[in-house]
Amino acid sequence: MKNLQDKLKRLRWQCRRGMLELDLILQAFLDKNYLYLSADDQALFEELLTYSDQDLYCYLIKRQSNESGAMQALIERI
């Protein structure tokens, strides 16, 4: 249980971005959906958090699609 709490704390910190819009979107998704994702989708979400703010913003407002089908499906869920 402690490991899960530590992981969620780390992910919550990673959701803090330079753009308020991204903070709001990513933190809300983490809080409401992360624990219900499959292990593969959790890993994809963690990978998504490594993207630059500009790329994330473009993906999340659908101006640009991601080349990975699984990642794109997760982005659309967010």
Side-chain angles (χ1 to χ4, degrees):
M1 189 66 158
K2 177 79 169 132
N3 288 338
L4 178 59
Q5 290 174 343
D6 289 344
K7 183 176 187 174
L8 290 173
K9 187 182 222 182
R10 178 181 52 80
L11 291 172
R12 195 165 286 110
W13 179 257
Q14 289 178 304
C15 286
R16 294 184 54 161
R17 311 302 289 213
M19 301 174 78
L20 178 60
E21 297 88 345
L22 293 177
D23 286 4
L24 297 173
I25 292 168
L26 294 171
Q27 286 183 5
F29 185 80
L30 176 69
D31 292 340
K32 295 177 183 175
N33 300 291
Y34 180 80
L35 294 176
Y36 303 106
L37 295 174
S38 68
D40 289 342
D41 284 345
Q42 286 179 350
L44 283 174
F45 182 74
E46 293 173 36
E47 179 184 337
L48 187 69
L49 294 178
T50 68
Y51 290 14
S52 73
D53 285 358
Q54 290 303 105
D55 287 343
L56 277 173
Y57 189 74
C58 287
Y59 293 145
L60 292 174
I61 63 167
K62 300 180 192 265
R63 288 192 302 173
Q64 181 178 334
S65 63
N66 186 284
E67 62 273 355
S68 164
M71 182 64 80
Q72 185 61 36
L74 177 64
I75 289 168
E76 289 174 13
R77 288 179 69 183
I78 295 172

